[in-house]
Amino acid sequence: MYEDIITVSTVTLRPMWGQKERNLNRIMGYMRAAAKRGSDLVVFPEMALTGYDDEPGVPVAEKMQHKLAETVPGPATDAVASLAKELGLYVVMGMPVRDDDNSETVYNGLAVFSPEGLVGSYHKMHLPAPEPNWATRGDRPFIMETPWGPVGCGICYDTYCFPELMDYYVAKGCRLYVNSTALAHCHGRHLGDSTLQAATVREGIFIVSSNLGGLDVDNYFWGGSSILGPGADTWSPHYYAGMPFTAEGADEEALYTATIDLALATRMLYTHNPAVDGTDWRPDKYVGLFEDVLADESFGQ
């Protein structure tokens, strides 16, 4: 049986654009701060290691993300892995990840750590503009195994616009989902709040979301890092720590921590419903629907 009670921290961070060593030092400082608060898991934003913003007129090979990308493992992840072992922490950190086999391929990625060290990396599967200017799409999900059960990992656009990824994780038993994000003002006022709140109700799970805050280079980010999930009323989302993206002061850099009870995660759509002798979620039917879409010559037009 999995443990139910976990203490989680999430960070609203304003990275110093292109200053990887400075950002790494700050990330490790927040890891120590989270450990002092008793955290088991700490989550950092998308591209926390380097900053997010693109340089539109710069050739791909000369872009900041390409110049500062590292393989996983690499120097930055070696440092975080060592500290994660020292502190007994699970850690999720956003960074540009260089492909092991092709150094010209870079992903918008997450490096994932456990108290035993580096676990692996997730490559963002869905890329909004301007990320295709420098990043390649990933092609597989990532589940982190923990004493509290499996934890699903996604990045920003993955979370807000493609519920299929979260559906997969919850169907695989995840009660907790990590959303590392770089949600900026240009993405609109309610995209983040509405989708995360709806997901906690629809999926019946907890979400720990970590966003950039303040000005990067050209984009201003909402902040609003939070830990949310089912509350006393399971049909209403509850913020255990942090705040909505659009709340006053949400863009300020901060560390938020909460102790949550994953036993409250119902995962209702993915558990056996005797009334239909199965789950309400019907992947056996969806497979055919997706195959029909792929066979349709008008798909993508």
Side-chain angles (χ1 to χ4, degrees):
M1 180 177 293
Y2 293 125
E3 296 181 28
D4 290 319
I5 310 303
I6 181 173
T7 300
V8 179
S9 288
T10 182
V11 180
T12 294
L13 183 71
R14 181 184 176 186
M16 297 175 180
W17 192 89
Q19 298 184 47
K20 182 164 62 174
E21 296 304 320
R22 291 289 303 276
N23 294 328
L24 179 61
N25 188 57
R26 297 162 68 207
I27 286 167
M28 294 173 70
Y30 273 119
M31 289 171 60
R32 295 185 184 96
K36 289 178 181 178
R37 295 190 182 188
S39 286
D40 302 297
L41 165 68
V42 57
V43 178
F44 294 94
E46 177 178 7
M47 296 295 287
L49 185 62
T50 60
Y52 176 88
D53 275 344
D54 180 44
E55 303 165 284
V58 174
V60 173
E62 298 177 20
K63 287 182 183 290
M64 178 275 288
Q65 295 88 344
H66 269 251
K67 291 192 291 184
L68 298 185
E70 296 185 9
T71 57
V72 176
T77 56
D78 286 349
V80 174
S82 178
L83 186 57
K85 289 192 283 187
E86 176 187 331
L87 299 174
L89 273 177
Y90 289 84
V91 181
V92 179
M93 176 183 72
M95 62 178 287
V97 175
R98 192 175 306 281
D99 188 81
D100 291 335
D101 300 318
N102 183 354
S103 63
E104 295 181 1
T105 297
V106 172
Y107 305 101
N108 182 340
L110 299 176
V112 180
F113 309 85
S114 77
E116 284 71 52
L118 177 68
V119 176
S121 63
Y122 168 70
H123 305 153
K124 188 174 182 179
M125 294 179 65
H126 306 94
L127 301 181
E131 291 169 31
N133 291 347
W134 62 268
T136 296
R137 292 194 293 187
D139 59 8
R140 62 181 62 90
F142 189 96
I143 293 177
M144 173 173 57
E145 298 295 338
T146 78
W148 302 271
V151 176
C153 297
I155 304 177
C156 201
Y157 198 39
D158 289 334
T159 303
Y160 307 128
C161 296
F162 301 95
E164 297 86 353
L165 182 61
M166 192 182 297
D167 291 346
Y168 169 79
Y169 288 139
V170 183
K172 295 286 285 185
C174 296
R175 301 183 292 175
L176 180 63
Y177 176 88
V178 166
N179 177 45
S180 290
T181 183
L183 188 69
H185 283 207
C186 64
H187 297 129
R189 188 167 182 82
H190 298 295
L191 176 64
D193 290 340
S194 60
T195 52
L196 292 187
Q197 291 170 10
T200 64
V201 174
R202 183 186 66 242
E203 310 291 355
I205 60 166
F206 287 82
I207 298 173
V208 52
S209 182
S210 178
N211 194 25
L212 302 180
L215 183 67
D216 193 18
V217 175
D218 297 315
N219 282 300
Y220 198 93
F221 292 88
W222 288 108
S225 298
S226 59
I227 301 160
L228 66 163
D233 173 4
T234 57
W235 296 107
S236 299
H238 176 67
Y239 283 82
Y240 289 82
M243 62 187 76
F245 291 100
T246 54
E248 183 177 354
D251 55 351
E252 297 293 345
E253 187 161 321
L255 172 70
Y256 301 105
T257 304
T259 299
I260 56 178
D261 183 356
L262 296 179
L264 300 178
T266 64
R267 299 178 49 254
M268 182 178 65
L269 303 181
Y270 308 89
T271 59
H272 185 76
N273 179 359
V276 297
D277 193 26
T279 62
D280 290 346
W281 192 63
R282 305 186 68 185
D284 56 323
K285 303 303 180 185
Y286 308 146
V287 167
L289 298 180
F290 288 132
E291 288 176 345
D292 180 59
V293 168
L294 290 171
D296 190 332
E297 293 182 358
S298 66
F299 173 59
Q301 300 302 313

